[in-house]
Amino acid sequence: MQDNDDFIPFFDLSRQGAEHISEWMNEIERIVRSGKFQSGPEVPGFEKAFAEWLGAADVVGCASGTDALEVALRAWQIGPGDEVIVPANTWVSDAEAVLFTGATPVFADVLDETGQLDPAGLEPLITEKTRVIIAVHMYGSVCDLGSIMQIARRHNILVLEDCAHAIGLKTQWGMAGTLADAAVFSFYPTKNLGAFGDAGCIASADSRFIDRVRLIRDHGQPVKDTHLIVGKTSRMDEIQAAILFKKLLYVDQWNARRRDIAMSYATTIESIQGIQMGFDLNQNAVVHLFILRTSERDEFIQFMKKRGIGTAVHYPLPIPITPAFQSGNYRGVWSVAERRAKTIVSLPVFPELTDGEIGRINDALVAFGQK
Ligand SMILES: *Cc1c(COP(=O)(O)O)cnc(C)c1O
């Protein structure tokens, strides 16, 4: 057993902070001295830089990824009586945001091996009330957006990409976040591009939609004190925008490091009995999370813990069977997601892991296979 000093945390942001401390502090000082904390030049500056980096026509900063989801749905005038299809195994925000608009989430099952939305399950869920499909690029790998778009177009349904896990993901069709009717991103601190608190954004090429998004995120006011529609407080903070602008310079390099770490685990796992990959690791994956599968999941977590290695589970329960959603009796199918959720576990994959730590994690995987 390792002593506590050697513990490899599942995630540790203080390492990135230490490495870049003067750079980050300069930005914060600049904003503090400017005295402008909202609606200054930083947010438009970041929106422009992020749109260019992404290759998106337009980007609007929001207060969080969850707000971005809600604001996007509201900008499409989704509300009571409407249905929105959401993967059953994603982060809870996707279903919460639907409920915030007054619409009803309908849960779609996922593919056993990758955890991505199963397009074959979509059509049986579609009714005349279905307005949107939220296509989540789970763990930083692309979902089957080609099939999802085809089905959506056939039924005149909008597609919203959730790119919270997929910042910087290149796909066969282009950059994730530019491929559907609109996309949302989260810059929650643990995401591949993380703010110093909550932040998110919406990207789209539809300028009328973008205009409505801008109105809704700031009290429905195109100019101060003119409230055209009922909006909310969903602006991105100036400090967050300044930090994100600086961090954007590093995302590709951080993503490459995540992928290298993931490749090293994947190579080890290939020859281990009883552990399988739990996601699609291809050459473009940005590996927000490294998911493996084992029928002895709880034993695996304890085994890693004894060897001083932190793990996590993303996510332990499909949304419709969480206490918050169960009583809603929402429609959908989630038997694969439910079975899969009992076998998945996530390994540390943040870019600041040292080569020594990666070696220890690989050794622990081998030891688990030999136990
Ligand atoms: C993190 C996340 C969000 C939104 O998160 P916020 O914490 O509100 O920024 C949405 N969808 C997925 C899949 C996420 O992982």
Side-chain angles (χ1 to χ4, degrees), residues 100-323:
F100 294 159
T101 70
T104 305
V106 173
F107 293 99
D109 216 343
V110 301
L111 294 162
D112 189 45
E113 285 186 7
T114 63
Q116 303 288 358
L117 195 61
D118 181 1
L122 288 174
E123 230 145 19
L125 296 176
I126 293 172
T127 69
E128 70 281 1
K129 295 180 177 171
T130 312
R131 299 277 316 278
V132 180
I133 298 170
I134 301 183
V136 187
H137 300 296
M138 293 298 294
Y139 319 126
S141 301
V142 65
C143 65
D144 187 354
L145 201 63
S147 304
I148 296 168
M149 292 295 287
Q150 249 179 22
I151 294 163
R153 289 296 177 252
R154 196 149 64 226
H155 295 271
N156 203 18
I157 294 169
L158 295 159
V159 176
L160 180 59
E161 284 182 273
D162 180 339
C163 298
H165 292 186
I167 303 170
L169 172 65
K170 294 182 184 75
T171 79
Q172 69 221 81
W173 305 288
M175 283 291 270
T178 65
L179 308 174
D181 297 294
V184 298
F185 289 82
S186 164
F187 304 119
Y188 183 75
T190 64
K191 300 289 157 78
N192 291 30
L193 172 61
F196 285 0
D198 287 307
C201 76
I202 298 170
S204 180
D206 177 347
S207 59
R208 283 187 35 210
F209 166 80
I210 287 287
D211 288 347
R212 277 187 65 83
V213 163
R214 285 192 192 283
L215 282 181
I216 294 169
R217 77 151 173 194
D218 191 15
H219 305 291
Q221 45 180 11
V223 291
K224 203 170 165 11
D225 294 331
T226 310
H227 306 284
L228 297 186
I229 56 176
V230 177
K232 56 184 292 178
T233 307
S234 285
R235 296 168 302 242
M236 182 186 279
D237 299 336
E238 288 285 282
I239 283 183
Q240 304 304 353
I243 292 295
L244 289 168
F245 188 96
K246 281 286 164 197
K247 283 197 175 190
L248 187 56
L249 300 172
Y250 298 99
V251 180
D252 289 323
Q253 141 194 349
W254 287 333
N255 283 347
R257 173 74 177 162
R258 283 174 179 273
R259 195 153 45 234
D260 286 349
I261 297 169
M263 292 293 183
S264 139
Y265 300 156
T267 306
T268 304
I269 287 171
E270 254 173 47
S271 55
I272 297 178
Q273 291 269 310
I275 300 180
Q276 298 92 39
M277 295 288 285
F279 73 114
D280 173 26
L281 177 59
N282 55 55
Q283 74 277 14
N284 289 329
V286 294
V287 199
H288 173 59
L289 296 168
F290 185 98
I291 313 285
L292 58 76
R293 299 181 70 186
T294 167
S295 55
E296 305 161 295
R297 193 260 309 273
D298 296 340
E299 198 184 340
F300 179 88
I301 291 171
Q302 287 314 312
F303 187 89
M304 290 290 146
K305 195 173 163 195
K306 280 211 191 88
R307 288 178 157 250
I309 297 164
T311 56
V313 177
H314 300 88
Y315 301 94
L317 281 181
I319 300 170
I321 57 171
T322 59

Side-chain angles (χ1 to χ4, degrees), residues 55-69:
D58 234 321
V59 165
V60 183
C62 285
S64 72
T66 308
D67 271 9
L69 284 161

